[in-house]
Amino acid sequence: MKSPVYLNAMRAFEASARHQSFSAAALELNVTPAAIGQLVRSLEDWLGTPLFHRSSSGRAGLVPTEVAQRALPDIRAGFDRLNLGLSRLKEGSANGVLTVTVSPAFAAKWLLPRIDRFQAAWPETDVRLDTSLKLLDFVAQGIDIGVRYGTGSWPGLTAHKLMDEELYPVCSPVLLQNSRRLRKPADLAGQTLIHDQSVESHAGFATWDAWLDAAGVKDVATKRGLRINNSAAVLQAAIDGHGVALARSVMASDDLAAGRLVRLFPEVALTSALAYYVVYRPECGALPKLIAFRDWLVGEASAA
């Protein structure tokens, strides 16, 4: 395969056509307008045909010729493919940046308290954390790997289960100490319930109604209470004594271990139908930095 000739000249031509100006193209490519003009003229000389109708008046000083207009879509597509190829080359190294997407709550309550251990083991890899509840496009957003909460099926992504999850009530030790009636699940009727609405729209997400059904309790009103759309904030509200939260075990584990929260009624077990999964594009599964981070996540989850 022959290498494309005049690559810099084609970049200058494409930018000039897009901006209809040598000066604007020069600003984008960080060179002088004279250098842009010289590159375009060299390409025209090599092709033996002009690429622009040049005008010293009017709103647009440069107007691509008909043949240039026909060629521009292919040239732009070619540059897009070149950029993608360069990204593939960068991905193949254990060095550089690893872009990870997780939810804000998972980052705050699980990943960030542990991330130092990955950085100590892989100091040549810089982690860029993208915290979002949205299902990001891994290609468009430059995402290498992520952790998602759901049933394990996302189009275009390989998913490995990382952790299952239980749901159970928690409260602050102070609230438990001050409450005279928190000895059995039915006693929740006298408490402010804190509801996690962050993933309430997910089919299969267990709510207070599901936990109370598992506990065999019928007379606790669940329509009222404090509703929060962030799992970390749900736990913080419980830590601050604002009520009893239905906690997700992965999120609450460190707070329970530190004594900031107390689990209530451990005799009632409710496993979520949803779980945490490590996800990435199939074609990236052999990249060293991705493998390193995936294996580290699995090891941390096993230890937890």
Side-chain angles (χ1 to χ4, degrees):
M1 180 181 67
K2 295 180 67 175
S3 299
V5 295
Y6 290 101
L7 185 59
N8 287 337
M10 285 196 291
R11 286 195 178 278
F13 159 60
E14 188 280 328
S16 300
R18 182 159 29 86
H19 293 291
Q20 296 190 334
S21 164
F22 285 159
S23 297
L27 284 174
E28 178 182 319
L29 299 178
N30 199 29
V31 295
T32 65
I36 293 291
Q38 184 176 356
L39 284 167
V40 170
R41 282 191 292 274
S42 70
L43 184 60
E44 290 176 322
D45 290 343
W46 184 79
L47 293 170
T49 186
L51 296 174
F52 292 104
H53 300 295
R54 292 164 171 82
S55 172
S56 58
S57 61
R59 295 180 61 187
L62 291 176
V63 177
T65 63
E66 184 180 348
V67 68
Q69 291 281 17
R70 288 201 306 269
L72 277 167
D74 289 326
I75 291 171
R76 286 167 180 155
F79 283 135
D80 288 341
R81 296 296 297 179
L82 282 171
N83 289 331
L84 183 59
L86 286 173
S87 297
R88 294 280 191 268
L89 291 174
K90 289 171 66 177
E91 287 173 347
S93 171
N95 301 327
V97 176
L98 179 75
T99 304
V100 181
T101 180
V102 296
S103 73
F106 185 83
K109 286 297 186 180
W110 196 90
L111 183 58
L112 288 177
R114 296 165 171 80
I115 196 66
D116 282 351
R117 294 197 279 270
F118 176 78
Q119 292 177 320
W122 293 86
E124 69 276 18
T125 301
D126 295 324
V127 175
R128 184 173 76 86
L129 200 57
D130 191 323
T131 61
S132 177
L133 287 174
K134 296 179 180 178
L135 300 183
L136 301 181
D137 184 322
F138 275 44
V139 175
Q141 302 296 324
I143 303 296
D144 295 304
I145 191 170
V147 177
R148 284 186 176 173
Y149 187 64
T151 58
S153 178
W154 293 276
L157 296 177
T158 296
H160 296 289
K161 184 182 281 190
L162 183 64
M163 292 178 281
D164 287 308
E165 186 164 65
E166 284 187 86
L167 291 102
Y168 43 69
V170 297
C171 71
S172 72
V174 174
L175 181 65
L176 182 61
Q177 195 173 40
N178 293 341
S179 177
R180 296 180 180 178
R181 296 189 59 201
L182 264 178
R183 298 177 181 175
K184 57 186 184 298
D187 294 338
L188 290 168
Q191 300 293 326
T192 298
L193 301 185
I194 304 173
H195 302 260
D196 186 346
Q197 292 190 301
S198 62
V199 286
E200 203 171 45
S201 60
H202 280 57
F205 178 65
T207 62
W208 267 113
D209 288 321
W211 188 90
L212 290 166
D213 283 344
V217 176
K218 303 296 183 185
D219 299 324
V220 176
T222 58
K223 300 301 181 186
R224 302 185 63 185
L226 181 59
R227 299 179 182 275
I228 304 175
N229 67 347
N230 181 290
S231 297
V234 166
L235 296 177
Q236 189 59 50
I239 290 169
D240 293 340
H242 296 307
V244 180
L246 185 63
R248 296 161 56 185
S249 61
V250 170
M251 299 289 184
S253 60
D254 287 353
D255 290 322
L256 290 170
R260 292 184 290 268
L261 289 172
V262 178
R263 178 178 177 176
L264 303 175
F265 323 120
E267 68 277 9
V268 180
L270 178 63
T271 300
S272 174
L274 308 179
Y276 295 87
Y277 291 83
V278 183
V279 294
Y280 49 87
R281 287 177 286 151
E283 63 269 24
C284 298
L287 299 179
K289 62 184 178 181
L290 188 150
I291 293 172
F293 193 74
R294 182 195 64 196
D295 292 348
W296 174 80
L297 284 172
V298 171
E300 289 290 327
S302 298

